[in-house]
């Protein structure tokens, strides 16, 4: 197994750092901490811009390949992650509002608050399938003592289906490179779960533990690449892990500073180039995997 250290790439400019009173989400998540931001949900668009969500202050940033930061959306909400559909829609999971679509810089519409008279607990992360389906997690405040975290799929026509309802904090989610498997971070169990993306017409999918981790809080953001690798951001541990398609660990990548590792993303033009997000210092790090 490789032991690597990521290098600093970008840091949130001082002009974008929140200086006022912490938001309710910030007070709930980090009591007594003056939170300048909390960056999550890393992904790249077709132009190689890196997008990040700032959960407590309702912002979505876009970072150009040259390192220029720009606020693309700013709402009274708590967006955890966003994706851009093939037809250009900006869909996000928001901890307060549910599944939303940004309709402008400071506007949005709610697409769903839940299913079958079950309101969302508090959405956490999402990924976009090739056919336009959305897979997303609903963690709320679930944990091992309350394993009620959920996983949903929204089909291209808009039908929403609850797939799993027993996760100890369902968090990061991504598809395998061949789109045959769905990986879900069960943060409070320190595990990554997996199940088939080919669903039966009814009932819950058969779910298993793909990876058992230790240390920190547990896995947060997940990302896969064309080589079949799975990257895992290990929350409150200042590191990420890289696994092959059968779950063997290929590398451990440590950050030179910061413990709040929240998100990972592979560069769209280089499957060996991994980007790692740290929310403690609002920084983006990168690492080339030499295998």
């Amino acid at each position: 197994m490789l032991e690597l250290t990521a290098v600093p790439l970008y840091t949130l400019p001082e002009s974008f750092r929140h200086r006022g009173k912490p938001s309710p989400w910030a007070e709930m998540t980090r009591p007594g901490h003056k939170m300048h931001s909390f960056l999550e949900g890393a992904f790249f668009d077709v132009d190689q811009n890196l997008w990040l969500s700032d959960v407590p202050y309702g912002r979505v940033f876009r970072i150009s390949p040259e390192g220029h930061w720009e606020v693309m959306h700013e709402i009274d909400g708590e967006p955890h992650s966003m994706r851009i559909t093939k037809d250009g829609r900006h869909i996000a999971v928001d901890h307060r509002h549910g599944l939303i679509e940004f309709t402008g810089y400071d506007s949005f519409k709610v697409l769903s608050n839940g299913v079958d008279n079950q309101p969302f607990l508090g959405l956490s992360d999402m990924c976009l399938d090739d056919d336009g389906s959305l897979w997303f997690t609903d963690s709320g405040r679930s944990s091992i003592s309350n394993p009620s975290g959920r996983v949903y799929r929204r089909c291209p026509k808009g039908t929403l289906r609850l797939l799993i309802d027993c996760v100890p904090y369902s968090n990061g989610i991504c598809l395998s490179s061949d789109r045959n498997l769905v990986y879900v971070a069960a943060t409070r169990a320190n595990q990554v779960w997996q199940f088939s993306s080919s669903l039966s017409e009814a009932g819950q999918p058969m779910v298993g533990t793909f990876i058992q981790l230790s240390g920190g809080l547990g896995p947060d953001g997940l990302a896969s690449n064309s080589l079949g690798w799975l990257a895992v951001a290990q929350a409150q541990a200042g590191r990420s892990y890289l696994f092959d398609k059968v779950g063997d660990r290929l590398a451990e990548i440590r950050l030179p500073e910061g413990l709040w590792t929240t998100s990972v993303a592979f560069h769209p033009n280089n499957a060996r180039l991994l980007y790692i997000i740290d929310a403690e210092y609002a920084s983006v790090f990168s690492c080339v995997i030499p295998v």
Side-chain angles (χ1 to χ4, degrees):
M1 184 194 72
L2 297 172
E3 295 183 359
L4 307 170
T5 301
V7 297
L9 191 61
Y10 311 127
T11 299
L12 182 67
E14 288 294 326
S15 60
F16 290 141
R17 292 175 181 257
H18 181 81
R19 303 297 182 188
K21 181 181 178 181
S23 71
W25 186 93
E27 291 179 336
M28 173 190 69
T29 306
R30 296 288 188 275
H33 185 86
K34 294 182 178 180
M35 191 176 289
H36 47 72
S37 62
F38 195 89
L39 301 180
E40 283 261 23
F43 77 96
F44 284 94
D45 65 20
V46 295
D47 297 316
Q48 302 179 34
N49 298 299
L50 178 64
W51 293 69
L52 298 171
S53 296
D54 178 23
V55 181
Y57 306 115
R59 301 179 293 183
V60 178
F61 292 104
R62 184 178 68 183
I63 310 173
S64 72
E66 296 75 31
H68 174 70
W69 293 67
E70 184 177 3
V71 181
M72 302 304 293
H73 300 291
E74 186 170 7
I75 63 170
D76 181 17
E78 297 159 357
H80 272 246
S81 187
M82 189 197 87
R83 292 295 186 274
I84 302 174
T85 65
K86 290 182 179 179
D87 58 0
R89 301 166 66 198
H90 291 197
I91 309 297
V93 288
D94 187 285
H95 191 269
R96 190 195 314 176
H97 298 298
L99 186 66
I100 67 172
E101 178 182 350
F102 290 109
T103 54
Y105 174 83
D106 57 359
S107 60
F108 67 93
K109 64 179 180 181
V110 176
L111 301 177
S112 180
N113 288 309
V115 295
D116 300 329
N117 297 317
Q118 289 184 309
F120 293 139
L121 304 172
L123 301 187
S124 185
D125 204 354
M126 67 181 295
C127 66
L128 184 64
D129 208 340
D130 294 339
D131 67 354
S133 297
L134 300 174
W135 304 80
F136 61 95
T137 54
D138 182 21
S139 61
R141 302 293 287 173
S142 57
S143 67
I144 288 179
S145 60
N146 176 26
S148 58
R150 302 167 183 168
V151 179
Y152 291 87
R153 178 182 181 267
R154 185 176 189 265
C155 76
K157 294 183 179 180
T159 303
L160 188 62
R161 179 176 171 184
L162 173 60
L163 301 175
I164 307 171
D165 60 3
C166 59
V167 190
Y169 204 94
S170 49
N171 202 341
I173 185 168
C174 78
L175 291 154
S176 59
S177 58
D178 58 12
R179 301 298 189 259
N180 290 332
L181 295 171
V182 182
Y183 299 117
V184 176
T187 301
R188 294 291 177 169
N190 229 326
Q191 297 172 337
V192 176
W193 293 6
Q194 71 172 6
F195 61 93
S196 173
S197 61
S198 299
L199 303 172
S200 59
E201 292 186 2
Q204 295 188 336
M206 293 186 67
V207 182
T209 299
F210 181 56
I211 299 166
Q212 178 66 61
L213 297 162
S214 63
L217 181 66
D220 194 337
L222 307 176
S224 63
N225 69 3
S226 59
L227 300 173
W229 299 348
L230 177 69
V232 179
Q234 188 72 353
Q236 296 186 26
R239 70 192 69 173
S240 293
Y241 298 114
L242 193 65
F243 298 90
D244 67 14
K245 62 183 179 181
V246 297
D248 288 335
R249 190 178 298 184
L250 297 173
E252 177 179 310
I253 307 157
R254 292 180 177 263
L255 303 184
E257 63 175 2
L259 292 176
W260 298 358
T261 322
T262 59
S263 189
V264 284
F266 287 99
H267 192 278
N269 289 348
N270 186 349
R272 299 177 185 274
L273 177 56
L274 182 66
Y275 286 65
I276 306 168
I277 313 304
D278 168 67
E280 185 175 2
Y281 291 100
S283 296
V284 180
F285 298 85
S286 67
C287 183
V288 176
I289 315 300
V291 295

